């Protein structure tokens, strides 16, 4: 009997490897095919000019090389400046195009990640499609906003984690460190995924990564992402047309980068703190999540998580547990810090 069990386990492992290889081969075609299709749809539905929200500010700061509201988004601003140089349509349209490009590429990386994770390229296509055409993702993919670049960082990070789980390639933790640095410098909420992802990667690769040289290299690569913040004091000194705050002093620079005017890691200053319970926030979020995944994503995801955790083993089960932990950690932490009063449609949204 023990021999029979070992044989079955070995056969299962061989089957998993075959499925993984099949997914690895076929997923790129589906991923980049979807990205091209999504980009075309986004371009056809781009706002022709300035949309609502912070769009006007981001367009102006990129075009004039100014400083946006905290934390400043310097890399996004510089990337946006490159897009404003495209010699077609309006300046606003070109900045909207930046969002479309970021989210279409994000969808491709999500396809790649889920394909390797599930060992099924078509499952990856379903995930990427649901993401790309989620109403809220689509809305911010066709207007000048920072969320599309944030989505790209998240999807690339998930892909790197899944790929490392599958192949243990030595270069991946270093690539992940660079991506994480830029992501953390771009949007503070990335920290809530970075913590569980980085702890897991360091633990899984402890035999290779836990030495002073390699940890030092990863720390250095992580800090590379913060280099664009040198842009803030330089622009402050030049008195740009659009310059939020004064970053010429260390106090002013830290206040801007840490979003002290809003409250670091919060959505509003302390004086605007709300009194709504966590349960109320979660119910609002769950309702939004159902709508944003077209009422398909949540039940499919719940079924997939249950199926994998109850029947599978090995790397597939590990990465599912990790992602579930990261999702819960993000949800609890974000809702604990989201201190808006939720008395207007804007705050609730």
């Amino acid at each position: 009997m023990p021999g029979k069990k070992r044989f079955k386990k070995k056969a299962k492992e061989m089957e998993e490897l075959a499925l993984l290889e099949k997914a690895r081969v076929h997923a790129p075609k589906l991923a980049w095919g979807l990205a091209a299709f999504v980009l075309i749809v986004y371009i056809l539905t781009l706002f022709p000019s300035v949309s609502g929200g912070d769009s006007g500010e981001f367009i102006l700061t990129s075009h004039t090389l100014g400083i946006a509201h905290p934390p400043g988004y310097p890399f996004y601003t510089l990337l946006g400046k490159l897009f404003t140089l495209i010699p077609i349509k309006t300046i606003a349209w070109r900045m909207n195009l930046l969002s479309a490009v970021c989210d279409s590429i994000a969808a491709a990386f999500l396809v790649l990640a889920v394909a390797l994770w599930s060992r099924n390229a078509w499952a990856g296509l379903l995930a990427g499609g649901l993401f790309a055409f989620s109403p809220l993702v689509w809305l911010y993919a066709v207007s000048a906003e920072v969320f599309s670049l944030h989505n790209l960082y998240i999807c690339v990070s998930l892909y790197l984690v899944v790929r490392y789980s599958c192949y243990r390639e030595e270069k991946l933790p270093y690539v992940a460190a660079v991506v994480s640095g830029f992501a953390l410098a771009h949007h503070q909420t990335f920290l809530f995924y970075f913590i569980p992802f980085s702890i897991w990667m360091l633990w899984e690769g402890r035999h290779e990564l836990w030495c002073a040289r390699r940890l030092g290299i990863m720390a250095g690569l992580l800090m590379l992402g913060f280099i664009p913040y040198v842009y803030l004091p330089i622009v402050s000194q030049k008195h740009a047309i659009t310059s939020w705050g004064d970053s010429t002093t260390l106090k002013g620079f830290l206040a801007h980068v840490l979003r002290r005017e809003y409250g670091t890691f919060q959505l509003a200053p302390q004086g605007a703190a709300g009194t709504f319970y966590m349960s109320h926030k979660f119910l609002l979020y769950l309702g939004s999540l159902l709508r944003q995944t077209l009422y398909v994503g949540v039940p499919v995801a719940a079924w997939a998580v249950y199926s994998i955790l109850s029947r599978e083993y090995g790397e597939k089960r590990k990465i599912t547990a990790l992602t579930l932990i990261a999702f819960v950690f993000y949800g609890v932490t974000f809702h604990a810090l989201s201190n808006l009063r939720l008395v207007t449609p804007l705050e609730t949204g």
Side-chain angles (χ1 to χ4, degrees), residues 27 31-32 34 103-118 120-121 123-133 137 151-152 154-160 162 323:
W32 299 112
L34 177 68
D103 262 332
S104 58
I105 297 174
F109 274 99
L110 189 58
V111 173
L112 295 173
V114 175
L116 292 181
W117 181 0
S118 64
N120 190 312
L125 183 65
L126 174 63
L130 280 174
F131 163 80
F133 296 114
V137 171
N151 290 341
L152 177 56
I154 289 283
C155 291
V156 171
S157 298
L158 181 61
Y159 169 70
L160 292 172
V162 173
T323 309

Side-chain angles (χ1 to χ4, degrees), residues 106 123 144 154 160 196 248 283 291 308 314:
I154 289 283
L160 292 172
T248 57
L283 286 174
R291 293 190 299 274
I308 291 173

